[in-house]
Amino acid sequence: MNALLAVLWKDLLTELRSRDRAIAMLLFSMLMVVIFHFSLPGGATAATRAYAPGLLWVAYVFAALLGLGRSFAIELENGAIEVLARAPVDRGWVLLGKTLANMLILGVVQALTALVFALFFEMNLLPVALPLAGVVALGSLGLCAVGTFFAAVAVRTRLREVMLPLLALPFYIPVLVAATRATNTLLETGSVSFASIHFLLVTDGSYLIASFILSDFVLDE
Amino acid sequence: MTDAIAKPEQHPTPSAGGGARRVSAAALAVSFALWAYLVYAAPLDSVQGLIQKILYVHVPCWFAAYAGFALTAVCGGLYLWKNDERYDRVAVAGAEVGVVFCTLGLVTGPIWAKGTWGHWWAWDPRLTMTLVLWFIYLAYLLLRSFTEGSTRTARFASVYGIAGLAAVPLNYFAIELFGGAAMHPDNLERGSLGEGMGWPFAAGAITALLAMLHLVLLRVDLERRRAAEGPSTPDWASAEGD
Amino acid sequence: MTAVVARNLAKRFGRTVGLDGIDLEVAVGSTTAILGPNGAGKSTLLRLMAGLARPTGGSIEVGGEPAHQRTARARVGFIGHATGLYPELTARENLIFAARLRGVARWRERIEAQLEEAGLTRAADRRAGDFSRGMAQRLSIATGLIDEPEIVLLDEPFTGLDRVASDRLVARLQALRQSDRTLVLVSHDVALAARLADSAIVLRRGRVAHREDGGALDPQALENAYSAAAQRDSS
C-alpha cells in the first residue's frame, strides 16, 4: 500500500513538474476533434450529435494510448524500472499506483475534451455531468489498467510505445463497447444504462485482477 | 582446449519425436480422406444449396483457431510456472498454426455469408469474435518478433497469451450484449441440422484438430532444431534489463 | 553465517551462456569483490543476487530464501550502472520516493542523514536532472541505502568518477564495512578491490577462475588471475 501511494505521488509530481504528457495528450485530443469535424458530413454540429459519444471515446482511447506509453518510457530513461522491480512489495501495487496516476492525468484531459465536444456538437452536459464523470471514470479505469500493464511490456520491445496499441486494442474493445453504450444512453435519455455499468465493472475487475496476478512477470528482467 | 562463449546446449529430445509425427500424419491422412468423402456425399441444403458445403471447412477452422489459442495460453501458463522453454516452443507453434486456421476461417466465413445472405460481412458475435481472435493472434506474434532476448520473449508472450484468454470471453459478451443483431445461424451447433449433416461436421472437427496437432508437432520440432544451433543475435543485448 | 549463497548457479540467455555453474558463499559482514574481464558474467551474477533476474539453473539464495522473492529483495540494496533517479524531482524528493517505496518507517530523519552523508544537504532542493555526474552518483547511492539494507551490491560504482569523488566513495564504503554490512562489489580496478575487500573471485566466461578469501587479499595474485582471464578471452 505504501508503495502504491509512493508511486502515485511520484508519478503525479513528475507530471506536474514537466507537464509533457498532459500537454501532448490534450493537444492530440484537440486535433482529433478538429479532424472529426472535417471528416463528418456536415461537420460537428447539433445535427451530427449522434456520433458524439462514439467519437469522444475514440479521442479518449488515442489520448490514453499516448499517455500510457510514456508512463513507462519515463522509467526506462534512467534505469528507474529496476528500482521499481526491486521494491520489496507485490509488484501489482506498483502497477496499480501507476494506473491510478495515469487515470488522474487522463481524467483532466478527458474533462477538457468533453467540454470542447460539448461546444462543437452543441450539447448541454451539465444535467448529466456527474453520472457522465462516473461512466468516463469507469471506462478509463479499464483503459488504464490494461494500458499501464501492457505499457510495461511494450516499452521493452523494439517498437517501444508503438507496440502498445497493438497489444491493448483487443482488450479495449469490451470497454469501448460498453462505455459508448452507457455514454449514449446518458446523453440521449439522461438515464443510466445499468447493463453497461455492470459490464464495465466486470471488465474492469477482471483486468485489474489479471494484471495484479501477472505483474510479477512483467517487471522481471 | 577452447570453450566457446555460446555453448550449444544439448536439450533432451522432446517426447514429440519422429514417431509421433508419423502417427499424426497417418491419422490426419485417414481423417482427411474420410472427411472429404463425407462432405462430398452430404446432402445439399434445401435452402442454401451448394454454398452451404463451405461451412464444412469454415466451422472446423474456427474450432481449430480457438483450440490453438487455448493451447498457446495454457502452454504460456506452464512456461511461467515451470520455467521450461519447451512449453514456450509449443506455445509459439500453437499460435502460428492457430493463426493460419483463424485466417482460413475469416476467409471462408465471408464467402459463405456472401453466398447465403448477400453480404460479405456482418457484425454478429461469432464472426466479430473470430476477427478479434485474429487480432489477438497477430498481436501475440508481433510481440514475439519485436522482443529481444528469448527469455524475455517467452515471458512476455506467455503473459499475453494468458491475458488473451481473458479477453476472449469479455469480447464475446460485449459484442453479444451491446453489439449488432445476431445473424449467425445457430443451427450449426446442434439440433436442427438436416439429415446426414452431422457426420461431416464431426469429421471436419476431428480432421482440423488432427491437422493442428500434426502441424504443431512439425513446428515444435523446427523450434527445437533452431534452439540447438547458435544464436542469430547476441542475447546478452537485452540482459542488462533495459 | 552466510548472507548470499550461490549453488551451481547458471544463467542462460537463450543459447548464450552468461553464468555456468557458480558456487559462492558470501559471509555476513564480509566484503567480496567480483572481478573479471568484460562479458565474464560479473553484472549478471550481481543482478541475480539483487533479484533482478532469475537463474536458469542452480540456485541463488539471500538470507536463506531465493533471491528474487520479495522478502529477499527487502534485505538487499542494489546500486547498478543506471542511477535510477527522476530528473524532474529534487534530491530530497528522490529520496522520499525511495524511502516510501521501500517502506522505511521514519523517513524524514533518515533522509536528512543520508543527504548529510552524501554531502548533498545544500543541493537537496535542486532538481536531480541538474546534478553533475558525481553528485548524481552520490544521490544514487543514497537512494540505494535509504532503507539501510543488510546486504549492499554495487556494480562498478567507481566508473566515471574523478579522484575526489572516488576517494569519497571509498570512505563511504569503508564506513559501510565498519557498520557490519555485507558488501559485494563488482569492479575493474583490481588494486582498489584488493584494498577494500576481504574476499574476491575472478570470473571468466561465466565460471570462477580464481578465488581468494580470508582477510588480506594479495593484489598481485588477483592481478595475475585477472590478466590470465583477460588473455585467454581474447585468444
Side-chain angles (χ1 to χ4, degrees):
Chain A
M1 198 57 192
N2 252 327
L4 185 154
L5 292 173
V7 172
L8 176 61
W9 169 80
K10 186 266 298 174
D11 269 11
L12 289 177
L13 189 58
T14 320
E15 186 55 35
L16 208 65
R17 294 269 166 85
S18 64
R19 286 178 299 275
D20 57 2
R21 263 197 287 161
I23 290 178
M25 286 159 80
L26 197 56
L27 236 55
F28 194 70
S29 308
M30 297 298 122
L31 268 165
M32 289 197 78
V33 179
V34 173
I35 291 175
F36 288 154
H37 169 77
F38 286 113
S39 56
L40 283 173
T45 63
T48 49
R49 208 179 281 167
Y51 295 106
L55 292 174
L56 184 65
W57 276 100
V58 170
Y60 285 169
V61 163
F62 283 111
L65 286 171
L66 188 65
L68 291 166
R70 281 296 299 162
S71 83
F72 264 102
I74 292 171
E75 305 293 347
L76 227 49
E77 271 155 27
N78 283 303
I81 204 165
E82 289 184 348
V83 176
L84 293 176
R86 284 206 64 250
V89 293
D90 250 316
R91 287 167 177 167
W93 294 116
V94 172
L95 281 181
L96 196 56
K98 279 191 113 33
T99 301
L100 290 175
N102 287 330
M103 263 188 80
L104 287 170
I105 298 169
L106 181 63
V108 171
V109 174
Q110 286 174 320
L112 291 170
T113 309
L115 284 176
V116 175
F117 257 75
L119 191 70
F120 285 4
F121 285 98
E122 295 170 45
M123 301 183 293
N124 183 10
L125 296 180
L126 228 43
V128 291
L130 219 53
L132 184 63
V135 167
V136 170
L138 267 184
S140 301
L141 181 57
L143 297 183
C144 291
V146 167
T148 308
F149 182 77
F150 285 135
V153 170
V155 283
R156 287 143 90 224
T157 65
R158 279 209 302 277
L159 285 183
R160 306 238 164 183
E161 288 104 280
V162 178
M163 190 89 232
L164 181 60
L166 294 172
L167 296 178
L169 285 174
F171 295 81
Y172 275 8
I173 293 171
V175 177
L176 263 179
V177 168
T180 43
R181 172 60 65 94
T183 310
N184 230 322
T185 313
L186 206 53
L187 291 176
E188 273 180 27
T189 67
S191 62
V192 175
S193 158
F194 284 110
S196 316
I197 302 292
H198 192 193
F199 188 81
L200 274 175
L201 284 168
V202 170
T203 307
D204 288 352
S206 314
Y207 286 164
L208 283 168
I209 293 171
S211 69
F212 202 93
I213 294 174
L214 294 170
S215 59
D216 214 35
F217 302 105
V218 139
L219 283 179
D220 250 343
E221 55 181 330
Chain B
M1 184 176 77
T2 47
D3 38 315
I5 289 178
K7 206 166 65 170
E9 287 274 321
Q10 289 303 95
H11 293 291
T13 325
S15 54
R21 287 199 298 282
R22 277 192 284 276
V23 168
S24 69
L28 176 61
V30 169
S31 181
F32 186 81
L34 183 63
W35 170 75
Y37 169 73
L38 284 173
V39 170
Y40 175 73
L44 284 177
D45 183 276
S46 54
V47 176
Q48 300 170 35
L50 188 61
I51 196 80
Q52 184 262 358
K53 291 209 171 181
I54 204 169
L55 282 181
Y56 295 129
V57 176
H58 171 74
V59 173
C61 282
W62 172 90
F63 217 71
Y66 279 92
F69 195 75
L71 181 67
T72 304
V74 167
C75 286
L78 286 170
Y79 172 80
L80 290 177
W81 183 25
K82 301 280 191 180
N83 217 10
D84 184 345
E85 68 178 16
R86 286 179 290 176
Y87 289 118
D88 186 56
R89 288 188 214 142
V90 182
V92 67
E96 288 188 6
V97 173
V99 76
V100 168
F101 280 103
C102 198
T103 312
L104 213 53
L106 271 181
V107 164
T108 54
I111 292 175
W112 175 78
K114 182 66 178 168
T116 45
W117 314 325
H119 300 290
W120 284 110
W121 186 261
W123 288 102
D124 82 311
R126 242 166 272 148
L127 206 52
T128 313
M129 261 325 293
T130 315
L131 186 64
V132 170
L133 184 66
W134 194 69
F135 282 130
I136 297 177
Y137 262 129
L138 285 185
Y140 178 92
L141 292 170
L142 278 168
L143 177 62
R144 289 196 76 108
S145 66
F146 282 107
T147 306
E148 258 153 29
S150 62
T151 332
R152 188 183 279 180
T153 304
R155 192 169 338 99
F156 280 179
S158 302
V159 168
Y160 198 72
I162 296 172
L165 211 54
V168 169
L170 283 175
N171 268 288
Y172 181 79
F173 287 118
I175 299 163
E176 176 126 330
L177 292 170
F178 307 108
M183 281 158 78
H184 231 94
D186 275 313
N187 62 8
L188 286 178
E189 295 295 293
R190 43 193 87 261
S192 50
L193 275 178
E195 207 47 54
M197 285 188 184
W199 288 112
F201 278 122
I206 293 172
T207 307
L209 289 176
L210 281 174
M212 219 189 75
L213 176 66
H214 184 67
L215 289 169
V216 164
L217 288 175
L218 283 175
R219 182 66 181 83
V220 168
D221 186 58
L222 175 64
E223 195 66 24
R224 185 180 60 82
R225 279 186 276 134
R226 269 188 197 162
E229 294 163 14
S232 46
T233 52
D235 272 324
W236 48 258
S238 69
E240 294 332 308
D242 92 328
Chain C
M1 260 244 291
T2 49
V4 180
V5 181
R7 273 188 252 277
N8 202 24
L9 183 62
K11 178 69 181 170
R12 263 189 313 118
F13 300 101
R15 303 131 208 163
T16 316
V17 173
L19 292 177
D20 185 18
I22 304 275
D23 288 301
L24 178 65
E25 278 186 23
V26 176
V28 169
S30 68
T31 302
T32 306
I34 302 177
L35 307 163
N38 283 333
K42 312 188 296 295
S43 288
T44 308
L45 179 55
L46 210 68
R47 292 169 64 80
L48 279 161
M49 288 184 192
L52 282 171
R54 293 183 208 220
T56 49
S59 71
I60 176 125
E61 286 180 359
V62 169
E65 286 157 334
H68 72 262
Q69 276 189 358
R70 235 185 327 136
T71 35
R73 298 203 300 253
R75 306 157 94 128
V76 176
F78 178 74
I79 293 151
H81 283 135
T83 57
L85 300 173
Y86 295 98
E88 297 89 9
L89 300 183
T90 66
R92 185 172 276 125
E93 286 162 351
N94 268 287
L95 283 166
I96 294 176
F97 174 63
R100 292 181 64 188
L101 185 68
R102 294 195 69 95
V104 175
R106 292 205 311 267
W107 46 269
R108 260 176 252 271
E109 301 132 35
R110 283 271 190 100
I111 286 171
E112 296 312 314
Q114 284 289 343
L115 282 169
E116 173 93 35
E117 179 96 44
L120 291 171
T121 320
R122 269 178 314 165
D125 292 305
R126 276 173 48 195
R127 280 176 25 127
D130 297 334
F131 280 12
S132 67
R133 183 181 161 84
M135 289 166 79
Q137 172 79 309
R138 274 152 36 205
L139 181 59
S140 175
I141 291 173
T143 56
L145 295 176
I146 194 72
D147 58 337
E148 291 182 2
E150 305 159 23
I151 303 164
V152 182
L153 309 175
L154 301 114
D155 196 349
E156 298 189 34
F158 293 96
T159 314
L161 293 186
D162 64 16
R163 189 54 177 278
V164 173
S166 213
D167 289 342
R168 227 173 170 153
L169 182 54
V170 170
R172 189 92 204 257
L173 292 178
Q174 306 276 31
L176 283 175
R177 284 186 73 185
Q178 268 151 13
S179 63
D180 281 331
R181 236 65 82 81
T182 310
L183 274 82
V184 181
L185 178 69
V186 164
S187 181
H188 265 303
D189 190 337
V190 180
L192 188 59
R195 238 174 76 203
L196 289 170
D198 43 43
S199 296
I201 60 169
V202 179
L203 293 181
R204 184 182 82 90
R205 293 192 177 164
R207 296 205 183 116
V208 178
H210 180 83
R211 202 190 283 270
E212 254 189 63
D213 43 36
L217 294 178
D218 177 6
Q220 197 52 55
L222 287 176
E223 196 71 64
N224 291 341
Y226 183 101
S227 305
Q231 213 168 45
R232 301 254 285 278
D233 238 25
S234 53
S235 68

